[in-house]
């Protein structure tokens, strides 16, 4: 009867062995392909010689270095993946188990436990931290401006997350609503002299209205068709703003838009200015810090409303719509109205962000609302993980803050030479980051979905079960 | 009169229903009744047009011709062919399930049942405004909705999986959950498209019990498409047989089982008969 025991004991030792030969072969193949690509592109450089003829400068050393780098990178990738697979084969997946397995906290849980308070704390004290870090409020202007920029994109990402992440409607023209909000404030304040605090809700309402106007004819389309039409809508708004000069000032835009006031107190050095009223010395930084906290509050409102809506029937209907539109219809849900509310609400938050943009810049022009903006906002939502609020915030910091970091890499100049400008590599790195994300986390940084209502125990829902929506 | 006496008070009357897709006549001049409190089976060989009939009744197709009248107990009448898709469930209170299960796989079992109660909850949340500020009326409504969902989960033995994603459930449980989800919309008529497909004999027996309890305890009439004859013949009060979009038989299970045209449709006819017919028409 003791015969099976050795077999059982041997079982764990039978872990899949690393197939080194295959991995080496694969890496060599990669190096060979790189070599093939390098020969026509890198191997010879054409220089103008002193006699103004073309000289060929061979650069076989560089080719060898590139091939070697690709070989090593592929080798490392395969080895890491192989050891990960071997590890996974030994630990049962909680999803396949029939009884309870000790599940390690997943990405969403661990991020929200430590990340959330940290994130909020940094966001709330950011101007102070920046001032301390740079040694003075005026010196920290660059950092606070960057913070404002990032928070604007966080807010736009959260607004678009309602449309794309929750309702599953692919909207490539979100920047149109941002433009509607910005021009609403610009026109209302320069024409009628209305203050920002009146224009802010109005801008949101106008954007929501345009969301509905676009929504009615468009929402019977699905998937690719919806994406194309929203893309066209975004372009139409921009072209109208460029060409309708009497209304919008054309390509020159609208300048000298009134600046933000502290609920009526202007940020000026005058007698009735903000600083004089409080009896503190005037500093132009007061306005910047106020703008920072304004966009922080706006973004947090967007977040809180979205989180609240998710728990209400309307939010659940959005997510159901993303999962299966036909089933929704069979359950008596008016799918057109449900999509329309998602579109209008998403547009409204875009409008708020737009009017903030206008008051901050005190200048708007159609150039600010091109397709690239829409693409960046959509990339933030997709990279963050569709539907995940914290994921979108992290993605916004990375997407907007990352390129700014490149400007500060001057210390690399001694390494790469005096002509090295890291900013030129921005799009290259951006593309590289996208490819890495596609391999590492195809469903976004945080792909787990947290249920909107819980009976006994909150369990995160694996991203592989959650659908992305199709229209 | 051997047919079910409940046919005198039909919950649904289908009259002269015709559905054409281009040149193809999927359903041809079909008339039948679904008695209130009956389980009515709709059977027929593959391609007979059963699912097309379902899609017409539940508002997914607009029929080419014909009339479908749904009567509530209080006398209200709805012409289903005139209602927009979602109103068939919302106002006429006809619920359905699908041949290929359509659950919200990325949402939990409980959430699936709450989505089904969307319309009453929307009303209670004051079309979101009252819910957004968290008025007590909405909280009560939400609590009641969860209670109703829990009651249904207890009935289908899935309470222990309430917080699991619906996509993680085994196939048989998904079938039962889809029925519970449809029932959470308080239907007067429940249309089931092959509810026993892919179930093992034990699950199939459980399903029979569930359908009987829906008929007897919930004031809901059931119309089901089914290929599994053990289900249809055992629980149906009334069976309608379709072949090539036309009704070929209509009666109690026993009557239908002995009907010559039904046997011919399912099993085919003898070779001599075919030859006799061919000789008649001169092929």
């Amino acid at each position: 009867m003791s015969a099976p025991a050795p077999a059982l004991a041997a079982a764990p030792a039978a872990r899949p062995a690393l197939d080194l030969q295959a991995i080496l072969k694969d890496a060599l193949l990669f190096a060979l392909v790189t070599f093939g690509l390098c020969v026509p592109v890198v191997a010879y450089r054409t220089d103008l010689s002193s006699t103004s003829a073309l000289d060929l400068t061979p650069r076989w050393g560089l080719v060898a270095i590139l091939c070697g780098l690709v070989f090593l990178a592929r080798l490392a990738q395969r080895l890491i993946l192989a050891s990960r697979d071997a590890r996974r084969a030994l630990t049962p997946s909680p999803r396949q188990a029939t009884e309870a397995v000790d599940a390690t906290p997943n990405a969403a849980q661990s991020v929200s436990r430590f990340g959330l308070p940290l994130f909020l704390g940094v966001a709330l004290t950011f101007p102070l931290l920046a001032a301390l870090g740079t040694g003075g409020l005026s010196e920290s202007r660059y950092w606070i401006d960057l913070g404002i920029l990032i928070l604007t994109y966080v807010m736009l990402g959260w607004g678009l997350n309602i449309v794309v992440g929750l309702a599953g409607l692919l909207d490539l023209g979100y920047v149109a609503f941002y433009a509607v909000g910005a021009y609403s404030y610009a026109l209302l304040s320069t024409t009628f002299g209305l203050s920002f605090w009146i224009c802010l809700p109005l801008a949101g309402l106008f954007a929501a209205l345009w969301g509905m106007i676009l929504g009615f004819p468009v929402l019977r389309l699905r998937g690719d068709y919806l994406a194309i039409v929203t893309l066209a809508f975004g372009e139409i708004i921009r072209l109208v703003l460029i060409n309708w000069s009497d209304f919008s000032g054309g390509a020159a835009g609208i300048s000298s838009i009134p600046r933000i006031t502290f609920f009526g107190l202007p940020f000026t050095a005058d007698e009735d200015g903000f600083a004089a009223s409080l009896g503190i010395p005037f500093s132009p930084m007061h306005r910047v810090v106020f703008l920072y906290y304004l966009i922080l509050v706006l973004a947090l409102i967007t977040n809180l409303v979205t989180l609240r809506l998710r728990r209400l029937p309307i939010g659940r209907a959005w997510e159901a719509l993303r999962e299966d539109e036909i089933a929704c219809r069979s359950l008596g849900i008016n799918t057109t109205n449900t999509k329309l509310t998602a579109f209008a609400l998403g547009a409204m938050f875009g409008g708020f962000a737009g009017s903030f943009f206008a008051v901050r810049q005190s200048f708007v022009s159609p150039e600010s609302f091109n397709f690239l903006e829409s693409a960046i906002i959509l990339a933030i939502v997709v990279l963050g993980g569709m539907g995940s609020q914290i994921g979108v915030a992290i993605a916004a910091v990375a997407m907007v803050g990352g390129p700014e970091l490149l400007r500060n890499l001057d210390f690399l100049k001694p390494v790469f030479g005096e002509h090295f400008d890291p900013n030129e590599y921005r799009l290259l790195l951006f593309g590289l980051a996208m490819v890495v994300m596609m391999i590492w986390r195809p469903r976004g940084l945080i792909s787990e979905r947290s249920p909107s209502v819980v009976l006994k125990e909150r369990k995160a829902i694996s991203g592989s079960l959650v659908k992305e929506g199709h229209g | 009169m051997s047919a079910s006496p409940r046919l005198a008070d039909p919950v649904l009357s289908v009259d002269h229903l015709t559905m054409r897709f281009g040149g193809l006549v999927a359903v041809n001049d079909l008339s039948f009744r679904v008695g209130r409190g009956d389980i009515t089976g709709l059977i027929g060989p593959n391609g007979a047009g059963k699912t097309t009939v379902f899609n017409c009744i539940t508002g997914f197709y607009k029929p080419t011709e014909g009339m479908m009248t749904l009567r509530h107990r209080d006398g209200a009448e709805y012409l289903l062919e005139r209602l927009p898709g979602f109103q068939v469930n919302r106002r006429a209170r006809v619920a359905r399930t699908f041949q290929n299960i359509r659950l919200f796989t990325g949402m939990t079992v409980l959430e699936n049942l709450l989505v089904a109660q969307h319309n009453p909850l929307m009303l209670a949340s004051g079309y979101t405004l009252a819910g957004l500020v968290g008025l007590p009326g909405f909280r009560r409504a939400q609590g009641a909705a969860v209670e109703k969902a829990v009651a249904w989960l207890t009935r289908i033995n899935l309470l222990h999986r309430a917080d699991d994603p619906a996509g993680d459930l085994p196939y048989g449980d998904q079938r039962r959950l889809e029925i519970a989800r449809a029932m959470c919309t308080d239907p007067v008529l429940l249309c089931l498209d092959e509810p026993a497909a892919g179930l093992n004999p034990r699950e199939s027996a459980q399903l029979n019990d569930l359908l009987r309890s829906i008929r007897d305890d919930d004031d809901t009439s059931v119309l089901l498409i089914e290929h599994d004859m053990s289900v249809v013949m055992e629980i149906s009060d009334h069976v309608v047989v379709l072949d090539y979009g036309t009704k070929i038989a209509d009666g109690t299970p026993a009557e239908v089982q002995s009907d010559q045209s039904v046997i011919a449709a399912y099993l085919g006819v003898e070779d001599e008969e075919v030859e006799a017919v061919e000789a008649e028409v001169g092929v």
Side-chain angles (χ1 to χ4, degrees), chain A residues 95 308 323-324 330 332 449 452 455-457 459 465 467, chain B residues 86 89 102 105-106 111 119 131-132 138 163-164 168:
Chain A
R95 285 201 46 215
R308 188 101 189 95
E323 297 282 322
D324 194 328
S330 83
R449 178 179 171 271
S452 66
L455 198 61
K456 290 193 199 77
E457 182 195 357
K459 297 175 189 168
L465 290 173
K467 303 218 171 66
Chain B
F86 69 96
N89 178 280
R102 284 186 175 275
T105 51
E111 282 180 304
N119 288 321
L132 208 54
F138 171 67
D163 293 324
D164 285 332
D168 265 354

PDB file of all heavy atoms in Angstrom, chain A residues 95 308 323-324 330 332 449 452 455-457 459 465 467, chain B residues 86 89 102 105-106 111 119 131-132 138 163-164 168:
ATOM      1  N   ARG A  95      -9.411  30.986  -9.481  1.00  0.00           N
ATOM      2  CA  ARG A  95     -10.602  30.893 -10.322  1.00  0.00           C
ATOM      3  C   ARG A  95     -10.901  29.463 -10.735  1.00  0.00           C
ATOM      4  O   ARG A  95     -12.018  29.135 -11.100  1.00  0.00           O
ATOM      5  CB  ARG A  95     -10.448  31.768 -11.555  1.00  0.00           C
ATOM      6  CG  ARG A  95     -10.607  33.221 -11.253  1.00  0.00           C
ATOM      7  CD  ARG A  95     -10.951  34.000 -12.476  1.00  0.00           C
ATOM      8  NE  ARG A  95     -11.995  33.329 -13.237  1.00  0.00           N
ATOM      9  CZ  ARG A  95     -12.056  33.348 -14.545  1.00  0.00           C
ATOM     10  NH1 ARG A  95     -11.145  33.958 -15.223  1.00  0.00           N
ATOM     11  NH2 ARG A  95     -13.025  32.749 -15.178  1.00  0.00           N
ATOM     12  N   ARG A 308     -20.743  57.481  -6.935  1.00  0.00           N
ATOM     13  CA  ARG A 308     -22.107  57.413  -6.421  1.00  0.00           C
ATOM     14  C   ARG A 308     -23.042  56.853  -7.504  1.00  0.00           C
ATOM     15  O   ARG A 308     -23.887  56.012  -7.214  1.00  0.00           O
ATOM     16  CB  ARG A 308     -22.528  58.824  -6.004  1.00  0.00           C
ATOM     17  CG  ARG A 308     -23.828  58.911  -5.286  1.00  0.00           C
ATOM     18  CD  ARG A 308     -23.643  59.047  -3.784  1.00  0.00           C
ATOM     19  NE  ARG A 308     -24.936  58.900  -3.135  1.00  0.00           N
ATOM     20  CZ  ARG A 308     -25.392  57.751  -2.644  1.00  0.00           C
ATOM     21  NH1 ARG A 308     -24.663  56.680  -2.677  1.00  0.00           N
ATOM     22  NH2 ARG A 308     -26.587  57.680  -2.096  1.00  0.00           N
ATOM     23  N   GLU A 323     -22.085  45.267 -20.868  1.00  0.00           N
ATOM     24  CA  GLU A 323     -21.982  43.811 -20.883  1.00  0.00           C
ATOM     25  C   GLU A 323     -22.815  43.201 -22.000  1.00  0.00           C
ATOM     26  O   GLU A 323     -22.340  42.327 -22.719  1.00  0.00           O
ATOM     27  CB  GLU A 323     -22.448  43.251 -19.540  1.00  0.00           C
ATOM     28  CG  GLU A 323     -21.602  43.670 -18.359  1.00  0.00           C
ATOM     29  CD  GLU A 323     -20.313  42.880 -18.288  1.00  0.00           C
ATOM     30  OE1 GLU A 323     -20.346  41.685 -18.587  1.00  0.00           O
ATOM     31  OE2 GLU A 323     -19.280  43.463 -17.933  1.00  0.00           O
ATOM     32  N   ASP A 324     -24.085  43.603 -22.106  1.00  0.00           N
ATOM     33  CA  ASP A 324     -24.955  42.977 -23.093  1.00  0.00           C
ATOM     34  C   ASP A 324     -26.171  43.849 -23.345  1.00  0.00           C
ATOM     35  O   ASP A 324     -27.083  43.900 -22.532  1.00  0.00           O
ATOM     36  CB  ASP A 324     -25.394  41.593 -22.597  1.00  0.00           C
ATOM     37  CG  ASP A 324     -26.009  40.769 -23.711  1.00  0.00           C
ATOM     38  OD1 ASP A 324     -26.635  41.371 -24.592  1.00  0.00           O
ATOM     39  OD2 ASP A 324     -25.850  39.544 -23.696  1.00  0.00           O
ATOM     40  N   SER A 330     -34.245  43.229 -23.163  1.00  0.00           N
ATOM     41  CA  SER A 330     -35.231  42.234 -22.749  1.00  0.00           C
ATOM     42  C   SER A 330     -35.642  42.432 -21.298  1.00  0.00           C
ATOM     43  O   SER A 330     -36.635  41.872 -20.866  1.00  0.00           O
ATOM     44  CB  SER A 330     -34.671  40.822 -22.944  1.00  0.00           C
ATOM     45  OG  SER A 330     -33.873  40.464 -21.840  1.00  0.00           O
ATOM     46  N   GLY A 332     -36.363  45.405 -20.117  1.00  0.00           N
ATOM     47  CA  GLY A 332     -37.173  46.620 -20.049  1.00  0.00           C
ATOM     48  C   GLY A 332     -36.381  47.888 -19.835  1.00  0.00           C
ATOM     49  O   GLY A 332     -36.936  48.898 -19.420  1.00  0.00           O
ATOM     50  N   ARG A 449     -12.860  44.649 -11.703  1.00  0.00           N
ATOM     51  CA  ARG A 449     -14.041  45.466 -11.467  1.00  0.00           C
ATOM     52  C   ARG A 449     -14.520  45.197 -10.049  1.00  0.00           C
ATOM     53  O   ARG A 449     -14.531  44.066  -9.592  1.00  0.00           O
ATOM     54  CB  ARG A 449     -15.115  45.062 -12.465  1.00  0.00           C
ATOM     55  CG  ARG A 449     -16.385  45.803 -12.284  1.00  0.00           C
ATOM     56  CD  ARG A 449     -17.424  45.392 -13.301  1.00  0.00           C
ATOM     57  NE  ARG A 449     -18.662  46.014 -12.889  1.00  0.00           N
ATOM     58  CZ  ARG A 449     -19.521  45.455 -12.056  1.00  0.00           C
ATOM     59  NH1 ARG A 449     -19.324  44.263 -11.597  1.00  0.00           N
ATOM     60  NH2 ARG A 449     -20.610  46.112 -11.700  1.00  0.00           N
ATOM     61  N   SER A 452     -20.881  46.724  -7.523  1.00  0.00           N
ATOM     62  CA  SER A 452     -21.541  47.938  -7.054  1.00  0.00           C
ATOM     63  C   SER A 452     -22.424  47.674  -5.848  1.00  0.00           C
ATOM     64  O   SER A 452     -22.813  48.595  -5.159  1.00  0.00           O
ATOM     65  CB  SER A 452     -22.381  48.535  -8.179  1.00  0.00           C
ATOM     66  OG  SER A 452     -23.443  47.653  -8.495  1.00  0.00           O
ATOM     67  N   LEU A 455     -23.621  41.527  -0.953  1.00  0.00           N
ATOM     68  CA  LEU A 455     -24.485  40.898   0.046  1.00  0.00           C
ATOM     69  C   LEU A 455     -23.675  40.553   1.288  1.00  0.00           C
ATOM     70  O   LEU A 455     -24.015  40.955   2.386  1.00  0.00           O
ATOM     71  CB  LEU A 455     -25.119  39.649  -0.556  1.00  0.00           C
ATOM     72  CG  LEU A 455     -26.348  39.144   0.177  1.00  0.00           C
ATOM     73  CD1 LEU A 455     -27.425  40.197   0.162  1.00  0.00           C
ATOM     74  CD2 LEU A 455     -26.852  37.874  -0.473  1.00  0.00           C
ATOM     75  N   LYS A 456     -22.587  39.785   1.108  1.00  0.00           N
ATOM     76  CA  LYS A 456     -21.800  39.376   2.271  1.00  0.00           C
ATOM     77  C   LYS A 456     -20.358  39.815   2.167  1.00  0.00           C
ATOM     78  O   LYS A 456     -19.798  40.402   3.063  1.00  0.00           O
ATOM     79  CB  LYS A 456     -21.833  37.846   2.399  1.00  0.00           C
ATOM     80  CG  LYS A 456     -23.169  37.307   2.815  1.00  0.00           C
ATOM     81  CD  LYS A 456     -23.025  35.858   3.233  1.00  0.00           C
ATOM     82  CE  LYS A 456     -24.369  35.135   3.205  1.00  0.00           C
ATOM     83  NZ  LYS A 456     -24.768  34.780   1.824  1.00  0.00           N
ATOM     84  N   GLU A 457     -19.737  39.533   1.029  1.00  0.00           N
ATOM     85  CA  GLU A 457     -18.292  39.680   0.940  1.00  0.00           C
ATOM     86  C   GLU A 457     -17.952  40.351  -0.377  1.00  0.00           C
ATOM     87  O   GLU A 457     -18.466  39.965  -1.429  1.00  0.00           O
ATOM     88  CB  GLU A 457     -17.662  38.278   0.988  1.00  0.00           C
ATOM     89  CG  GLU A 457     -16.167  38.273   0.958  1.00  0.00           C
ATOM     90  CD  GLU A 457     -15.660  36.869   0.646  1.00  0.00           C
ATOM     91  OE1 GLU A 457     -16.474  35.934   0.524  1.00  0.00           O
ATOM     92  OE2 GLU A 457     -14.445  36.719   0.502  1.00  0.00           O
ATOM     93  N   LYS A 459     -15.876  40.874  -3.455  1.00  0.00           N
ATOM     94  CA  LYS A 459     -14.850  40.178  -4.235  1.00  0.00           C
ATOM     95  C   LYS A 459     -14.628  40.949  -5.518  1.00  0.00           C
ATOM     96  O   LYS A 459     -15.611  41.340  -6.166  1.00  0.00           O
ATOM     97  CB  LYS A 459     -15.331  38.768  -4.600  1.00  0.00           C
ATOM     98  CG  LYS A 459     -15.581  37.865  -3.408  1.00  0.00           C
ATOM     99  CD  LYS A 459     -16.167  36.552  -3.890  1.00  0.00           C
ATOM    100  CE  LYS A 459     -16.634  35.701  -2.717  1.00  0.00           C
ATOM    101  NZ  LYS A 459     -17.459  34.573  -3.156  1.00  0.00           N
ATOM    102  N   LEU A 465     -13.504  38.577 -17.240  1.00  0.00           N
ATOM    103  CA  LEU A 465     -14.945  38.349 -17.349  1.00  0.00           C
ATOM    104  C   LEU A 465     -15.680  39.599 -17.796  1.00  0.00           C
ATOM    105  O   LEU A 465     -16.762  39.536 -18.355  1.00  0.00           O
ATOM    106  CB  LEU A 465     -15.509  37.914 -15.994  1.00  0.00           C
ATOM    107  CG  LEU A 465     -15.118  36.523 -15.514  1.00  0.00           C
ATOM    108  CD1 LEU A 465     -15.592  36.311 -14.097  1.00  0.00           C
ATOM    109  CD2 LEU A 465     -15.729  35.471 -16.415  1.00  0.00           C
ATOM    110  N   LYS A 467     -16.737  42.684 -19.891  1.00  0.00           N
ATOM    111  CA  LYS A 467     -16.702  43.000 -21.317  1.00  0.00           C
ATOM    112  C   LYS A 467     -16.328  44.470 -21.517  1.00  0.00           C
ATOM    113  O   LYS A 467     -16.493  45.292 -20.624  1.00  0.00           O
ATOM    114  CB  LYS A 467     -18.054  42.705 -21.942  1.00  0.00           C
ATOM    115  CG  LYS A 467     -18.482  41.267 -21.745  1.00  0.00           C
ATOM    116  CD  LYS A 467     -19.196  40.740 -22.980  1.00  0.00           C
ATOM    117  CE  LYS A 467     -19.436  39.263 -22.886  1.00  0.00           C
ATOM    118  NZ  LYS A 467     -20.364  38.911 -21.828  1.00  0.00           N
TER     119      LYS A 467
ATOM    120  N   PHE B  86     -38.135  47.744 -25.722  1.00  0.00           N
ATOM    121  CA  PHE B  86     -38.003  47.598 -24.267  1.00  0.00           C
ATOM    122  C   PHE B  86     -39.340  47.696 -23.555  1.00  0.00           C
ATOM    123  O   PHE B  86     -39.488  47.203 -22.444  1.00  0.00           O
ATOM    124  CB  PHE B  86     -37.026  48.636 -23.724  1.00  0.00           C
ATOM    125  CG  PHE B  86     -37.540  50.037 -23.787  1.00  0.00           C
ATOM    126  CD1 PHE B  86     -38.147  50.617 -22.682  1.00  0.00           C
ATOM    127  CD2 PHE B  86     -37.424  50.779 -24.941  1.00  0.00           C
ATOM    128  CE1 PHE B  86     -38.626  51.909 -22.731  1.00  0.00           C
ATOM    129  CE2 PHE B  86     -37.907  52.065 -25.002  1.00  0.00           C
ATOM    130  CZ  PHE B  86     -38.520  52.638 -23.905  1.00  0.00           C
ATOM    131  N   ASN B  89     -41.255  44.481 -22.243  1.00  0.00           N
ATOM    132  CA  ASN B  89     -41.021  44.022 -20.880  1.00  0.00           C
ATOM    133  C   ASN B  89     -41.571  45.008 -19.872  1.00  0.00           C
ATOM    134  O   ASN B  89     -42.221  44.631 -18.903  1.00  0.00           O
ATOM    135  CB  ASN B  89     -39.521  43.822 -20.653  1.00  0.00           C
ATOM    136  CG  ASN B  89     -39.227  43.389 -19.235  1.00  0.00           C
ATOM    137  OD1 ASN B  89     -39.199  44.207 -18.346  1.00  0.00           O
ATOM    138  ND2 ASN B  89     -39.051  42.110 -19.031  1.00  0.00           N
ATOM    139  N   ARG B 102     -27.531  34.913 -21.995  1.00  0.00           N
ATOM    140  CA  ARG B 102     -27.062  36.298 -22.043  1.00  0.00           C
ATOM    141  C   ARG B 102     -27.104  36.901 -20.651  1.00  0.00           C
ATOM    142  O   ARG B 102     -27.943  37.734 -20.349  1.00  0.00           O
ATOM    143  CB  ARG B 102     -27.933  37.120 -22.982  1.00  0.00           C
ATOM    144  CG  ARG B 102     -27.654  36.868 -24.445  1.00  0.00           C
ATOM    145  CD  ARG B 102     -28.454  37.808 -25.292  1.00  0.00           C
ATOM    146  NE  ARG B 102     -28.124  37.679 -26.690  1.00  0.00           N
ATOM    147  CZ  ARG B 102     -27.121  38.311 -27.261  1.00  0.00           C
ATOM    148  NH1 ARG B 102     -26.364  39.123 -26.560  1.00  0.00           N
ATOM    149  NH2 ARG B 102     -26.866  38.149 -28.538  1.00  0.00           N
ATOM    150  N   THR B 105     -21.919  38.871 -17.588  1.00  0.00           N
ATOM    151  CA  THR B 105     -20.912  37.981 -16.994  1.00  0.00           C
ATOM    152  C   THR B 105     -19.953  38.708 -16.068  1.00  0.00           C
ATOM    153  O   THR B 105     -19.456  38.120 -15.126  1.00  0.00           O
ATOM    154  CB  THR B 105     -20.084  37.292 -18.092  1.00  0.00           C
ATOM    155  OG1 THR B 105     -19.605  38.308 -18.968  1.00  0.00           O
ATOM    156  CG2 THR B 105     -20.911  36.305 -18.863  1.00  0.00           C
ATOM    157  N   GLY B 106     -19.676  39.981 -16.336  1.00  0.00           N
ATOM    158  CA  GLY B 106     -18.726  40.709 -15.500  1.00  0.00           C
ATOM    159  C   GLY B 106     -19.367  41.321 -14.271  1.00  0.00           C
ATOM    160  O   GLY B 106     -18.704  42.038 -13.532  1.00  0.00           O
ATOM    161  N   GLU B 111     -25.922  41.605  -8.653  1.00  0.00           N
ATOM    162  CA  GLU B 111     -26.074  42.762  -9.548  1.00  0.00           C
ATOM    163  C   GLU B 111     -26.963  42.413 -10.740  1.00  0.00           C
ATOM    164  O   GLU B 111     -27.777  43.225 -11.179  1.00  0.00           O
ATOM    165  CB  GLU B 111     -24.700  43.217 -10.063  1.00  0.00           C
ATOM    166  CG  GLU B 111     -23.919  44.027  -9.063  1.00  0.00           C
ATOM    167  CD  GLU B 111     -22.565  44.450  -9.619  1.00  0.00           C
ATOM    168  OE1 GLU B 111     -21.792  43.576 -10.043  1.00  0.00           O
ATOM    169  OE2 GLU B 111     -22.297  45.643  -9.638  1.00  0.00           O
ATOM    170  N   ASN B 119     -36.296  49.401 -13.632  1.00  0.00           N
ATOM    171  CA  ASN B 119     -37.361  50.400 -13.780  1.00  0.00           C
ATOM    172  C   ASN B 119     -37.994  50.812 -12.456  1.00  0.00           C
ATOM    173  O   ASN B 119     -38.088  52.011 -12.194  1.00  0.00           O
ATOM    174  CB  ASN B 119     -38.396  49.917 -14.790  1.00  0.00           C
ATOM    175  CG  ASN B 119     -37.822  49.968 -16.186  1.00  0.00           C
ATOM    176  OD1 ASN B 119     -37.103  50.902 -16.527  1.00  0.00           O
ATOM    177  ND2 ASN B 119     -38.099  48.957 -16.999  1.00  0.00           N
ATOM    178  N   GLY B 131     -31.632  59.643  -5.611  1.00  0.00           N
ATOM    179  CA  GLY B 131     -30.632  58.643  -5.231  1.00  0.00           C
ATOM    180  C   GLY B 131     -29.272  59.271  -5.025  1.00  0.00           C
ATOM    181  O   GLY B 131     -28.499  58.870  -4.159  1.00  0.00           O
ATOM    182  N   LEU B 132     -28.988  60.307  -5.816  1.00  0.00           N
ATOM    183  CA  LEU B 132     -27.670  60.945  -5.751  1.00  0.00           C
ATOM    184  C   LEU B 132     -27.454  61.601  -4.392  1.00  0.00           C
ATOM    185  O   LEU B 132     -26.360  61.573  -3.848  1.00  0.00           O
ATOM    186  CB  LEU B 132     -27.572  61.991  -6.872  1.00  0.00           C
ATOM    187  CG  LEU B 132     -26.190  62.314  -7.423  1.00  0.00           C
ATOM    188  CD1 LEU B 132     -25.497  61.065  -7.877  1.00  0.00           C
ATOM    189  CD2 LEU B 132     -26.315  63.285  -8.583  1.00  0.00           C
ATOM    190  N   PHE B 138     -35.207  56.009  -1.374  1.00  0.00           N
ATOM    191  CA  PHE B 138     -34.446  55.186  -2.299  1.00  0.00           C
ATOM    192  C   PHE B 138     -33.742  54.048  -1.569  1.00  0.00           C
ATOM    193  O   PHE B 138     -33.706  52.923  -2.052  1.00  0.00           O
ATOM    194  CB  PHE B 138     -33.425  56.026  -3.065  1.00  0.00           C
ATOM    195  CG  PHE B 138     -32.490  55.180  -3.866  1.00  0.00           C
ATOM    196  CD1 PHE B 138     -32.964  54.468  -4.947  1.00  0.00           C
ATOM    197  CD2 PHE B 138     -31.164  55.065  -3.515  1.00  0.00           C
ATOM    198  CE1 PHE B 138     -32.120  53.659  -5.682  1.00  0.00           C
ATOM    199  CE2 PHE B 138     -30.316  54.256  -4.239  1.00  0.00           C
ATOM    200  CZ  PHE B 138     -30.797  53.559  -5.323  1.00  0.00           C
ATOM    201  N   ASP B 163     -22.243  36.902  -4.422  1.00  0.00           N
ATOM    202  CA  ASP B 163     -21.226  37.917  -4.681  1.00  0.00           C
ATOM    203  C   ASP B 163     -20.183  37.472  -5.698  1.00  0.00           C
ATOM    204  O   ASP B 163     -19.159  38.125  -5.873  1.00  0.00           O
ATOM    205  CB  ASP B 163     -20.535  38.317  -3.367  1.00  0.00           C
ATOM    206  CG  ASP B 163     -21.496  39.042  -2.458  1.00  0.00           C
ATOM    207  OD1 ASP B 163     -22.327  39.802  -2.991  1.00  0.00           O
ATOM    208  OD2 ASP B 163     -21.438  38.852  -1.237  1.00  0.00           O
ATOM    209  N   ASP B 164     -20.429  36.331  -6.359  1.00  0.00           N
ATOM    210  CA  ASP B 164     -19.497  35.872  -7.389  1.00  0.00           C
ATOM    211  C   ASP B 164     -19.919  36.412  -8.743  1.00  0.00           C
ATOM    212  O   ASP B 164     -21.107  36.626  -8.987  1.00  0.00           O
ATOM    213  CB  ASP B 164     -19.502  34.336  -7.450  1.00  0.00           C
ATOM    214  CG  ASP B 164     -18.762  33.734  -6.284  1.00  0.00           C
ATOM    215  OD1 ASP B 164     -17.855  34.412  -5.771  1.00  0.00           O
ATOM    216  OD2 ASP B 164     -19.108  32.620  -5.863  1.00  0.00           O
ATOM    217  N   ASP B 168     -18.635  33.195 -13.708  1.00  0.00           N
ATOM    218  CA  ASP B 168     -17.918  32.103 -13.056  1.00  0.00           C
ATOM    219  C   ASP B 168     -18.817  30.923 -12.718  1.00  0.00           C
ATOM    220  O   ASP B 168     -18.327  29.890 -12.281  1.00  0.00           O
ATOM    221  CB  ASP B 168     -17.254  32.612 -11.762  1.00  0.00           C
ATOM    222  CG  ASP B 168     -15.804  33.004 -11.992  1.00  0.00           C
ATOM    223  OD1 ASP B 168     -15.310  32.770 -13.104  1.00  0.00           O
ATOM    224  OD2 ASP B 168     -15.183  33.534 -11.062  1.00  0.00           O
TER     225      ASP B 168
END
